[in-house]
Amino acid sequence: MSSDFSMLDLFRTEVETQASRLSEHLLALEANPGDPATLESLMRAAHSIKGAGRMVAVEACVQVAHVMEDIFVGAQQGNIRLDAGLVDVLLKSVDMLNRIAVEADQPDWANTHADDLAALIESLNTAAHAAAAADATAKPVKSSPVKAAREADPAMLDLFRIEVESQTRLLAEGLLELELNPTSAERLEAMMRAAHSLKGAARMVDIQPGVRIAHVMEDGLVAAQRGNLVLGAPHIDLLLRGVDMLTRIGASSDITAWTTQHATDIDNLEAALATLPSGAPPTVMASLPVADEPAQEPATTTDRRVAKQPHDSAIRVSAESLNRLMGLAGEVQVEARWLRPYADALVHFKHRHTELISLLDKLRDALEMSPIDEYARNLLGDAQHKAAVCRQLMGERLNDLDEFDRRSHNLASRLNREVIASRMRPFADGVHGFQRMVRDMARALNKKVQLDIRGLTTQVDRDILEKIEAPLNHLIRNAIDHGIETQQERAAAGKPEMATIRLDAIHSAGMLSIVVEDDGRGMDTTQLRQKIVKKKLVSQDMAAELSESELMDFLFLPGFSTREQVTEISGRGVGLDVVHSVVQEMHGIVHAAAQPGKGMRFHLQLPLTLSVMRSLLVEIAGEPYAFPLAQIHRTLKLPRHAIEVMEGRQYFTLGNQHIGLVAANQVLSLEGEPPEGDEVCIVVLGERLSRYGLVVDRFLGERSLVVQKLDTRLGKVKDISAAAILESGDPCLIIDVDDLLRSVDILSAGGRLDKIRRENDTQKKKVSKRILVVDDSITVREVERNMLVNRGYYVEVAVDGMDGWNAVRTGEYDLVISDVDMPRMNGFEFVSLIKKDPQLKTLPVMIVSYKDRDEDRQRGLEVGADYYLTKGSFHDETLLDAVADLIGQA
């Protein structure tokens, strides 16, 4: 079944598309048998799959699709009637085609599954012959016990499935605990009752295979209760296979067809389980293929689990509806907060009204001293009375408005919290299969490992819960395969025979904190340094200076793995970048820490929900922007005098790390500059090896923002991930930090970044003469810069001729000092460009070079240099004297 990889991808896409069409039309055909248009579509879909399989030489696919195509052609010609039985077999064939497509790149797949393929094709032919020339008066087939179950009340079957899901989960967890304490009377009693309940439920809907399996499991557990059997690991293995079989039966959409197809497996498992009460060693059986498991709908499973809870009921709601409800709840909260400024405006109006009454009182007092007629006096009295009534009414209405504001704000907040809570699920829902996975994998590797899960009741957003399952699975498998030592190694190290992996989930500082920790061998930092150097990620000298936390960051790079060989147990050569990518996608961060000989620790920090984002609100160019709090390394206000310059780029020092400074308005292409002041507001972003300080106008504080997706018609907006509505009703854009950092890298690599104004820059421009030093050697640049700065000159540097040319066109300098041999543009070309430019030709230029030949000196002067000096003169004040000769003292 080997073929070109790109062709296999096209083949898989074709099968996926056509198989979906086959399933949809087969189901439609049951409601409208013999529909010509539907039969034509079915025939064409099967023909397309056959042709695609032949193109990539996947003969198994060709054989199945060919038989299906013949059946559809026979149905079109009226020779075959597609009854329910034949449709069932055809749907199984569609499943087989999907399975073949997924595993088409495995060379021995067809040989390994030859019996399954032959059985399926035989079933297709048998069903087709049975349905040939059938008419409506054909004698019905005698019902079997399983057939009766299939024709049972659908509501009863749903209840059975709920019972199976609940009891099999209880059985699986209990059996894993019994392996540690096989004589626990309480646990054995619970397991026996669970098996008994399953047997009764299966009997109620007349599913005999379920009755048989549950019955022999119950007998085995009763034998263990009576002391006739001590459950060892092989017995637990066998009982867990019984749990798997019951789970498959309950999850099957067509129980009759599934149990018929797996009748041999059911019989063999029943026979093996029946030996448990005798205490004899259980028969070793091959596991049932995982691919044969019927697909389950996560939403249905969740709804059934919720429906099972006492004193509660559930309805099925789509995730899209919840998202819309979340958006509306956020809008209600915004609208509710609009009342407060309105009430404040009315209070201000009330004060003005009070001032009006005061003026009327003063007017009355003034008129008392003057003779006025009775009519005017009465008018004034009426005006005062009505003003007083208005003041009283306004006061009462303001009190009502304040009370309404409090109620509406409280109601909006409660609504928002309830909508968020409706998306939450306990952490246990996402990790219930991990205990079984750890047990099976540890046994396969001949290790003893227990998984300690804490925080099972911690509430997690359903979207996050779905996304973190794969990363956590990867970390746990890595821990068992890479981290946990063999039993002999643990004994030699003085460790307990049973290794422990701890999985902990808690809410911390408004974030979801998940820790995966093991007590294995940890990480050999020396080996990690060698691996990093071997992959040419850093030099030998730089690797020696990396701290432990910096070393750990390399584990998350794409394709990086400490294993020399690819295994099917854990990484498969992929590495931990899959964990990093998923966490980063959720606006979270992941850190690793290792203690050689003691274990490894991974710490994931994630938002509590993807619908509400805890953010830092800042102002950039007069507009509000939000940064996801989880992706911010630090915020600070930096004194302008702490801004330093090296290589023409500004930076500041945080701890022992130099962090480059970038103006946020430049990255986002906004007009304006950060405001004046003695300090600048900085948001530090990025990973440890690539970190920047983004200068913003000011900090507006932390906010919990309801995330609103941007209209899909906008496509991907550069540096922006989503939007939100602030409490004031104003829109706010949420920054895409990863995209923003890429934009900063492009700006930094492709051109000069805008400068942040430093303290006394203006004064230095007035009192100090400015010199640009251009040299590709950092040592020479720093020596020249220090010499000139000590004499009072203001100095900037450029790394080569091209960088220098960009600098002189955008800045103002009194002198340029340039080397000759530089990349991209040498010194002679650089000087020539300056002297040919009408606006720069009067700028003095000095060449400083190791080249001291007369022809080199002559060429420098010919291109326009005002002074030519060799670098050997640095030991005295020749350079400083030459500068003073050209432009005078600083």
Side-chain angles (χ1 to χ4, degrees):
M1 295 174 67
S2 62
S3 181
D4 183 71
F5 183 75
S6 59
M7 290 297 293
L8 278 179
D9 283 345
L10 293 174
F11 166 70
R12 290 189 179 102
T13 303
E14 178 72 8
V15 172
E16 182 182 357
T17 303
Q18 300 297 346
S20 176
R21 188 171 299 162
L22 283 169
S23 299
E24 179 183 350
H25 289 164
L26 281 169
L27 294 174
L29 205 62
E30 282 192 313
N32 186 18
D35 178 59
T38 305
L39 287 171
E40 178 68 14
S41 296
L42 287 168
M43 185 274 293
R44 290 187 179 279
H47 184 77
S48 297
I49 292 177
K50 182 177 74 173
R54 186 170 285 125
M55 286 293 292
V56 292
V58 182
E59 291 302 320
C61 181
V62 175
Q63 293 171 19
V64 175
H66 179 68
V67 178
M68 293 176 69
E69 182 185 9
D70 288 346
I71 291 173
F72 295 136
V73 170
Q76 283 182 302
Q77 296 171 351
N79 299 326
I80 295 177
R81 181 173 179 270
L82 295 180
D83 57 9
L86 183 52
V87 169
D88 288 341
V89 181
L90 288 167
L91 286 172
K92 289 178 205 168
S93 304
V94 174
D95 294 339
M96 177 61 78
L97 289 172
N98 278 321
R99 186 175 166 191
I100 293 171
V102 170
E103 302 175 359
D105 54 351
Q106 298 182 17
D108 297 326
W109 191 91
N111 295 331
T112 305
H113 298 81
D115 293 340
D116 293 341
L117 286 168
L120 177 64
I121 293 173
E122 180 62 27
S123 298
L124 280 170
N125 289 324
T126 301
H129 291 151
D135 56 23
T137 60
K139 183 181 291 187
V141 179
K142 183 178 180 180
S143 297
S144 64
V146 178
K147 188 73 173 180
R150 182 169 169 264
E151 294 172 354
D153 183 357
M156 292 297 293
L157 284 176
D158 282 340
L159 291 175
F160 168 71
R161 290 188 174 98
I162 293 171
E163 184 75 13
V164 169
E165 181 181 351
S166 174
Q167 299 297 346
T168 53
R169 182 169 176 178
L170 179 62
L171 277 168
E173 294 173 356
L175 288 169
L176 293 175
E177 293 183 21
L178 278 175
E179 190 170 26
L180 302 176
N181 185 12
T183 59
S184 171
E186 180 183 356
R187 183 56 61 187
L188 283 169
E189 175 70 16
M191 295 298 95
M192 185 276 292
R193 290 189 178 278
H196 184 77
S197 298
L198 281 171
K199 182 176 70 172
R203 182 174 286 124
M204 286 293 292
V205 290
D206 204 9
I207 300 178
Q208 293 305 314
V211 174
R212 289 154 46 199
I213 296 296
H215 177 68
V216 289
M217 289 180 66
E218 181 185 6
D219 288 345
L221 291 166
V222 168
Q225 278 185 300
R226 294 174 178 171
N228 300 330
L229 170 67
V230 178
L231 293 176
H235 305 98
I236 298 293
D237 283 341
L238 192 55
L239 287 167
L240 284 172
R241 288 193 177 125
V243 172
D244 293 340
M245 179 62 75
L246 291 171
T247 302
R248 292 184 176 100
I249 292 173
S252 175
S253 58
D254 187 341
I255 296 176
T256 303
W258 194 90
T259 51
T260 301
Q261 182 181 356
H262 296 88
T264 303
D265 293 327
I266 294 171
D267 293 341
N268 292 338
L269 180 58
E270 181 187 11
L273 285 166
T275 64
L276 287 176
S278 66
T283 305
V284 178
M285 297 172 51
S287 300
L288 295 177
V290 176
D292 288 343
E293 296 182 35
Q296 300 183 40
E297 297 180 8
T300 305
T301 303
T302 303
D303 293 339
R304 289 171 181 163
R305 184 182 298 116
V306 175
K308 182 68 177 174
Q309 297 175 356
H311 309 297
D312 199 1
S313 60
I315 59 173
R316 189 175 300 179
V317 180
S318 68
E320 185 62 31
S321 296
L322 276 179
N323 291 337
R324 286 197 298 268
L325 190 59
M326 177 71 72
L328 292 173
E331 291 181 28
V332 169
Q333 204 166 22
V334 169
E335 291 299 321
R337 298 195 178 193
W338 176 81
L339 288 172
R340 174 45 47 196
Y342 181 73
D344 292 340
L346 288 181
V347 170
H348 185 70
F349 179 71
K350 181 183 177 182
H351 292 330
R352 294 292 178 268
H353 190 267
T354 301
E355 292 174 0
L356 175 61
I357 293 176
S358 177
L359 289 174
L360 287 174
D361 291 340
K362 290 179 180 179
L363 177 62
R364 184 181 182 89
D365 293 340
L367 292 177
E368 288 289 341
M369 309 300 296
S370 304
I372 58 172
D373 57 31
E374 191 64 23
Y375 178 71
R377 191 180 302 277
N378 290 337
L379 284 177
L380 182 58
D382 289 342
Q384 284 184 296
H385 176 70
K386 290 184 182 296
V389 172
C390 287
R391 179 171 61 182
Q392 181 181 356
L393 290 173
M394 181 175 291
E396 293 174 354
R397 297 291 80 78
L398 272 175
N399 290 336
D400 293 342
L401 183 60
D402 285 339
E403 181 64 24
F404 178 71
D405 174 44
R406 284 192 294 271
R407 291 200 311 270
S408 62
H409 183 268
N410 181 47
L411 185 61
S413 298
R414 286 165 50 200
L415 172 63
N416 198 51
R417 287 195 298 269
E418 285 296 325
V419 173
I420 293 174
S422 69
R423 294 179 56 88
M424 295 295 186
R425 291 165 57 194
F427 184 63
D429 283 358
V431 299
H432 61 80
F434 284 2
Q435 291 282 10
R436 173 75 182 278
M437 181 266 288
V438 169
R439 176 194 180 276
D440 292 346
M441 185 175 168
R443 284 177 58 79
L445 295 173
N446 196 25
K447 298 179 180 180
K448 290 189 176 181
V449 186
Q450 64 176 355
L451 177 62
D452 179 16
I453 304 179
R454 305 177 185 178
L456 290 173
T457 59
T458 300
Q459 295 295 307
V460 185
D461 184 282
R462 60 189 297 275
D463 291 338
I464 290 181
L465 201 59
E466 292 175 2
K467 290 177 181 291
I468 63 174
E469 184 177 358
L472 292 181
N473 187 296
H474 188 93
L475 290 175
I476 292 173
R477 294 174 72 92
N478 264 350
I480 300 172
D481 189 23
H482 299 347
I484 303 300
E485 311 95 331
T486 63
Q487 296 178 37
Q488 295 79 7
E489 290 172 337
R490 291 184 67 84
K495 293 184 177 182
E497 184 182 29
M498 179 70 74
T500 300
I501 299 175
R502 183 169 67 88
L503 175 59
D504 194 1
I506 60 171
H507 290 171
S508 175
M511 303 285 289
L512 173 64
S513 178
I514 300 178
V515 173
V516 181
E517 190 172 16
D518 66 73
D519 63 350
R521 60 173 59 91
M523 176 68 69
D524 186 341
T525 54
T526 302
Q527 179 187 356
L528 182 57
R529 290 180 200 273
Q530 294 172 353
K531 192 77 173 181
I532 292 170
V533 173
K534 183 179 178 180
K535 287 181 170 288
K536 298 182 179 180
L537 297 174
V538 297
S539 65
Q540 185 78 42
D541 295 337
M542 185 178 293
E545 296 177 358
L546 292 175
S547 66
E548 181 185 339
S549 57
E550 290 171 332
L551 280 173
M552 294 297 111
D553 285 341
F554 283 94
L555 295 175
F556 300 104
L557 293 179
F560 188 91
S561 177
T562 55
R563 278 294 180 95
E564 298 295 338
Q565 295 180 345
V566 174
T567 70
E568 287 298 320
I569 295 295
S570 56
R572 296 178 175 83
V574 177
L576 292 170
D577 63 298
V578 292
V579 178
H580 184 265
S581 299
V582 174
V583 172
Q584 201 170 47
E585 180 186 338
M586 293 184 286
H587 306 295
I589 53 177
V590 56
H591 293 296
Q595 288 184 296
K598 295 184 178 180
M600 193 82 181
R601 186 176 190 269
F602 291 92
H603 185 196
L604 286 68
Q605 287 182 286
L606 304 166
L608 293 179
T609 172
L610 297 181
S611 303
V612 177
M613 182 181 292
R614 192 69 181 158
S615 307
L616 172 68
L617 208 61
V618 303
E619 184 178 297
I620 304 174
E623 296 290 338
Y625 288 85
F627 288 88
L629 212 57
Q631 293 184 278
I632 296 176
H633 173 66
R634 184 172 174 180
T635 60
L636 70 154
K637 290 186 176 181
L638 183 74
R640 291 186 183 272
H641 64 77
I643 299 176
E644 302 180 68
V645 180
M646 179 181 289
E647 308 294 331
R649 298 178 181 177
Q650 293 181 314
Y651 71 95
F652 72 99
T653 303
L654 185 61
N656 59 353
Q657 186 179 11
H658 296 327
I659 298 178
L661 281 176
V662 185
N665 61 291
Q666 181 189 10
V667 182
L668 297 174
S669 303
L670 303 175
E671 297 293 334
E673 295 182 357
E676 302 290 332
D678 296 332
E679 297 177 321
V680 290
C681 299
I682 298 176
V683 181
V684 182
L685 304 170
E687 299 294 336
R688 187 174 288 103
L689 300 176
S690 179
R691 188 166 282 167
Y692 293 98
L694 205 68
V695 179
V696 300
D697 295 1
R698 62 191 179 102
F699 299 133
L700 301 178
E702 293 184 19
R703 299 287 192 279
S704 291
L705 301 178
V706 178
V707 179
Q708 306 280 357
K709 294 182 179 179
L710 299 176
D711 194 308
T712 54
R713 290 172 292 183
L714 295 174
K716 175 63 178 83
V717 179
K718 179 177 172 289
D719 304 327
I720 303 299
S721 64
I725 303 295
L726 302 180
E727 297 170 358
S728 61
D730 295 331
C732 169
L733 294 177
I734 299 174
I735 298 294
D736 185 339
V737 173
D738 298 324
D739 199 13
L740 186 80
L741 289 172
R742 284 190 289 270
S743 298
V744 173
D745 286 335
I746 292 172
L747 276 175
S748 177
R752 294 174 62 85
L753 296 170
D754 289 348
K755 295 289 192 301
I756 310 299
R757 188 181 64 78
R758 301 168 62 195
E759 188 178 43
N760 297 327
D761 268 2
T762 304
Q763 182 180 1
K764 285 182 180 180
K765 288 181 181 179
K766 294 179 180 177
V767 301
S768 300
K769 293 181 179 177
R770 295 167 58 85
I771 299 176
L772 176 66
V773 174
V774 185
D775 201 299
D776 62 329
S777 169
I778 185 172
T779 303
V780 174
R781 284 198 305 271
E782 288 304 303
V783 169
E784 293 180 359
R785 189 183 72 82
N786 289 332
M787 291 174 64
L788 294 167
V789 168
N790 290 336
R791 281 296 179 92
Y793 295 100
Y794 180 72
V795 182
E796 291 187 9
V797 296
V799 298
D800 55 35
M802 183 64 71
D803 196 26
W805 176 238
N806 290 332
V808 295
R809 288 185 298 169
T810 56
E812 295 181 4
Y813 301 97
D814 298 290
L815 173 67
V816 174
I817 300 176
S818 175
D819 186 20
V820 172
D821 293 325
M822 297 182 293
R824 296 203 297 175
M825 180 186 294
N826 64 42
F828 295 140
E829 296 170 334
F830 174 47
V831 175
S832 178
L833 286 175
I834 292 176
K835 293 304 180 179
K836 291 179 180 179
D837 190 286
Q839 297 179 346
L840 300 174
K841 62 182 180 181
T842 58
L843 176 63
V845 180
M846 177 190 299
I847 290 181
V848 179
S849 173
Y850 283 117
K851 294 185 174 182
D852 55 359
R853 298 180 305 173
D854 290 339
E855 51 267 35
D856 295 324
R857 183 187 301 272
Q858 184 63 32
R859 184 181 176 189
L861 297 176
E862 286 177 356
V863 296
D866 299 280
Y867 216 108
Y868 194 103
L869 189 67
T870 61
K871 292 181 180 179
S873 304
F874 283 175
H875 67 278
D876 55 24
E877 296 193 352
T878 307
L879 173 66
L880 299 174
D881 292 340
V883 170
D885 288 345
L886 286 174
I887 61 174
Q889 298 298 325

mmCIF file of all heavy atoms in Angstrom, residues 179 231-241 276 281-284 439 443:
data_model
loop_
_atom_site.group_PDB
_atom_site.id
_atom_site.type_symbol
_atom_site.label_atom_id
_atom_site.label_comp_id
_atom_site.label_asym_id
_atom_site.label_seq_id
_atom_site.Cartn_x
_atom_site.Cartn_y
_atom_site.Cartn_z
ATOM 1 N N GLU A 179 -6.640 -2.818 41.873
ATOM 2 C CA GLU A 179 -5.310 -3.342 41.559
ATOM 3 C C GLU A 179 -4.319 -2.996 42.655
ATOM 4 O O GLU A 179 -3.393 -3.752 42.944
ATOM 5 C CB GLU A 179 -4.832 -2.789 40.214
ATOM 6 C CG GLU A 179 -3.583 -3.469 39.694
ATOM 7 C CD GLU A 179 -3.277 -3.083 38.257
ATOM 8 O OE1 GLU A 179 -3.688 -1.990 37.845
ATOM 9 O OE2 GLU A 179 -2.640 -3.886 37.563
ATOM 10 N N LEU A 231 -7.741 -10.788 43.081
ATOM 11 C CA LEU A 231 -7.605 -10.138 41.774
ATOM 12 C C LEU A 231 -6.177 -9.610 41.582
ATOM 13 O O LEU A 231 -5.739 -8.677 42.253
ATOM 14 C CB LEU A 231 -8.605 -8.976 41.660
ATOM 15 C CG LEU A 231 -10.089 -9.361 41.625
ATOM 16 C CD1 LEU A 231 -10.963 -8.127 41.606
ATOM 17 C CD2 LEU A 231 -10.383 -10.222 40.401
ATOM 18 N N GLY A 232 -5.472 -10.237 40.646
ATOM 19 C CA GLY A 232 -4.157 -9.755 40.262
ATOM 20 C C GLY A 232 -4.231 -8.939 38.990
ATOM 21 O O GLY A 232 -5.308 -8.738 38.411
ATOM 22 N N ALA A 233 -3.077 -8.476 38.514
ATOM 23 C CA ALA A 233 -3.041 -7.639 37.304
ATOM 24 C C ALA A 233 -3.654 -8.325 36.094
ATOM 25 O O ALA A 233 -4.423 -7.707 35.345
ATOM 26 C CB ALA A 233 -1.604 -7.204 37.013
ATOM 27 N N PRO A 234 -3.404 -9.641 35.856
ATOM 28 C CA PRO A 234 -4.036 -10.292 34.688
ATOM 29 C C PRO A 234 -5.562 -10.330 34.796
ATOM 30 O O PRO A 234 -6.258 -10.173 33.789
ATOM 31 C CB PRO A 234 -3.438 -11.700 34.706
ATOM 32 C CG PRO A 234 -2.163 -11.577 35.470
ATOM 33 C CD PRO A 234 -2.428 -10.543 36.507
ATOM 34 N N HIS A 235 -6.083 -10.549 36.029
ATOM 35 C CA HIS A 235 -7.531 -10.557 36.203
ATOM 36 C C HIS A 235 -8.120 -9.171 35.935
ATOM 37 O O HIS A 235 -9.182 -9.041 35.309
ATOM 38 C CB HIS A 235 -7.903 -11.013 37.619
ATOM 39 C CG HIS A 235 -7.319 -12.339 38.007
ATOM 40 N ND1 HIS A 235 -6.173 -12.439 38.759
ATOM 41 C CD2 HIS A 235 -7.707 -13.619 37.706
ATOM 42 C CE1 HIS A 235 -5.893 -13.735 38.947
ATOM 43 N NE2 HIS A 235 -6.806 -14.470 38.312
ATOM 44 N N ILE A 236 -7.423 -8.143 36.428
ATOM 45 C CA ILE A 236 -7.884 -6.766 36.198
ATOM 46 C C ILE A 236 -7.878 -6.459 34.703
ATOM 47 O O ILE A 236 -8.799 -5.825 34.176
ATOM 48 C CB ILE A 236 -6.987 -5.762 36.953
ATOM 49 C CG1 ILE A 236 -7.068 -6.000 38.469
ATOM 50 C CG2 ILE A 236 -7.384 -4.329 36.621
ATOM 51 C CD1 ILE A 236 -8.398 -5.709 39.086
ATOM 52 N N ASP A 237 -6.835 -6.914 34.006
ATOM 53 C CA ASP A 237 -6.779 -6.717 32.547
ATOM 54 C C ASP A 237 -8.029 -7.294 31.888
ATOM 55 O O ASP A 237 -8.656 -6.663 31.028
ATOM 56 C CB ASP A 237 -5.534 -7.397 31.956
ATOM 57 C CG ASP A 237 -4.272 -6.598 32.216
ATOM 58 O OD1 ASP A 237 -4.404 -5.394 32.502
ATOM 59 O OD2 ASP A 237 -3.183 -7.166 32.128
ATOM 60 N N LEU A 238 -8.378 -8.517 32.274
ATOM 61 C CA LEU A 238 -9.513 -9.200 31.662
ATOM 62 C C LEU A 238 -10.829 -8.483 31.982
ATOM 63 O O LEU A 238 -11.691 -8.293 31.110
ATOM 64 C CB LEU A 238 -9.558 -10.651 32.148
ATOM 65 C CG LEU A 238 -10.506 -11.592 31.396
ATOM 66 C CD1 LEU A 238 -10.204 -11.597 29.900
ATOM 67 C CD2 LEU A 238 -10.389 -13.008 31.960
ATOM 68 N N LEU A 239 -10.995 -8.064 33.241
ATOM 69 C CA LEU A 239 -12.215 -7.343 33.615
ATOM 70 C C LEU A 239 -12.303 -5.992 32.897
ATOM 71 O O LEU A 239 -13.388 -5.559 32.514
ATOM 72 C CB LEU A 239 -12.246 -7.149 35.136
ATOM 73 C CG LEU A 239 -12.546 -8.421 35.956
ATOM 74 C CD1 LEU A 239 -12.233 -8.190 37.421
ATOM 75 C CD2 LEU A 239 -14.001 -8.835 35.777
ATOM 76 N N LEU A 240 -11.165 -5.334 32.714
ATOM 77 C CA LEU A 240 -11.171 -4.065 31.978
ATOM 78 C C LEU A 240 -11.567 -4.275 30.524
ATOM 79 O O LEU A 240 -12.217 -3.421 29.913
ATOM 80 C CB LEU A 240 -9.794 -3.398 32.068
ATOM 81 C CG LEU A 240 -9.469 -2.720 33.410
ATOM 82 C CD1 LEU A 240 -8.017 -2.262 33.452
ATOM 83 C CD2 LEU A 240 -10.398 -1.521 33.644
ATOM 84 N N ARG A 241 -11.190 -5.433 29.935
ATOM 85 C CA ARG A 241 -11.628 -5.725 28.575
ATOM 86 C C ARG A 241 -13.131 -5.940 28.537
ATOM 87 O O ARG A 241 -13.802 -5.596 27.568
ATOM 88 C CB ARG A 241 -10.893 -6.950 28.043
ATOM 89 C CG ARG A 241 -9.425 -6.647 27.740
ATOM 90 C CD ARG A 241 -8.778 -7.746 26.942
ATOM 91 N NE ARG A 241 -7.412 -7.362 26.642
ATOM 92 C CZ ARG A 241 -6.352 -8.099 26.933
ATOM 93 N NH1 ARG A 241 -6.508 -9.250 27.538
ATOM 94 N NH2 ARG A 241 -5.140 -7.691 26.617
ATOM 95 N N LEU A 276 -12.909 -16.849 35.676
ATOM 96 C CA LEU A 276 -12.467 -16.096 36.851
ATOM 97 C C LEU A 276 -12.850 -16.767 38.169
ATOM 98 O O LEU A 276 -12.009 -16.879 39.077
ATOM 99 C CB LEU A 276 -13.021 -14.663 36.798
ATOM 100 C CG LEU A 276 -12.388 -13.714 35.769
ATOM 101 C CD1 LEU A 276 -13.097 -12.367 35.772
ATOM 102 C CD2 LEU A 276 -10.903 -13.511 36.065
ATOM 103 N N PRO A 281 -5.515 -19.038 36.057
ATOM 104 C CA PRO A 281 -4.937 -17.889 35.341
ATOM 105 C C PRO A 281 -5.767 -17.570 34.110
ATOM 106 O O PRO A 281 -6.117 -18.471 33.341
ATOM 107 C CB PRO A 281 -3.531 -18.379 34.954
ATOM 108 C CG PRO A 281 -3.237 -19.491 35.912
ATOM 109 C CD PRO A 281 -4.560 -20.144 36.201
ATOM 110 N N PRO A 282 -6.108 -16.308 33.888
ATOM 111 C CA PRO A 282 -6.951 -15.951 32.751
ATOM 112 C C PRO A 282 -6.251 -16.159 31.421
ATOM 113 O O PRO A 282 -5.034 -16.072 31.318
ATOM 114 C CB PRO A 282 -7.249 -14.468 32.985
ATOM 115 C CG PRO A 282 -6.139 -13.980 33.834
ATOM 116 C CD PRO A 282 -5.731 -15.140 34.700
ATOM 117 N N THR A 283 -7.057 -16.443 30.429
ATOM 118 C CA THR A 283 -6.538 -16.641 29.083
ATOM 119 C C THR A 283 -6.077 -15.305 28.511
ATOM 120 O O THR A 283 -6.757 -14.293 28.632
ATOM 121 C CB THR A 283 -7.619 -17.238 28.169
ATOM 122 O OG1 THR A 283 -8.109 -18.426 28.785
ATOM 123 C CG2 THR A 283 -7.054 -17.573 26.798
ATOM 124 N N VAL A 284 -4.900 -15.294 27.906
ATOM 125 C CA VAL A 284 -4.398 -14.072 27.282
ATOM 126 C C VAL A 284 -5.139 -13.843 25.984
ATOM 127 O O VAL A 284 -5.211 -14.718 25.127
ATOM 128 C CB VAL A 284 -2.882 -14.169 27.016
ATOM 129 C CG1 VAL A 284 -2.393 -12.908 26.332
ATOM 130 C CG2 VAL A 284 -2.131 -14.401 28.332
ATOM 131 N N ARG A 439 -1.969 3.227 33.511
ATOM 132 C CA ARG A 439 -1.816 1.829 33.912
ATOM 133 C C ARG A 439 -1.377 0.957 32.737
ATOM 134 O O ARG A 439 -0.420 0.177 32.831
ATOM 135 C CB ARG A 439 -3.128 1.300 34.478
ATOM 136 C CG ARG A 439 -3.065 -0.177 34.832
ATOM 137 C CD ARG A 439 -4.456 -0.728 35.061
ATOM 138 N NE ARG A 439 -4.375 -2.157 35.393
ATOM 139 C CZ ARG A 439 -4.296 -3.118 34.493
ATOM 140 N NH1 ARG A 439 -4.277 -2.827 33.198
ATOM 141 N NH2 ARG A 439 -4.230 -4.392 34.877
ATOM 142 N N ARG A 443 2.375 -0.838 32.263
ATOM 143 C CA ARG A 443 2.506 -2.289 32.142
ATOM 144 C C ARG A 443 3.225 -2.662 30.844
ATOM 145 O O ARG A 443 4.015 -3.605 30.817
ATOM 146 C CB ARG A 443 1.131 -2.949 32.198
ATOM 147 C CG ARG A 443 0.558 -2.996 33.605
ATOM 148 C CD ARG A 443 -0.842 -3.602 33.601
ATOM 149 N NE ARG A 443 -0.870 -4.947 33.049
ATOM 150 C CZ ARG A 443 -0.515 -6.048 33.703
ATOM 151 N NH1 ARG A 443 -0.088 -5.949 34.944
ATOM 152 N NH2 ARG A 443 -0.583 -7.236 33.132
#
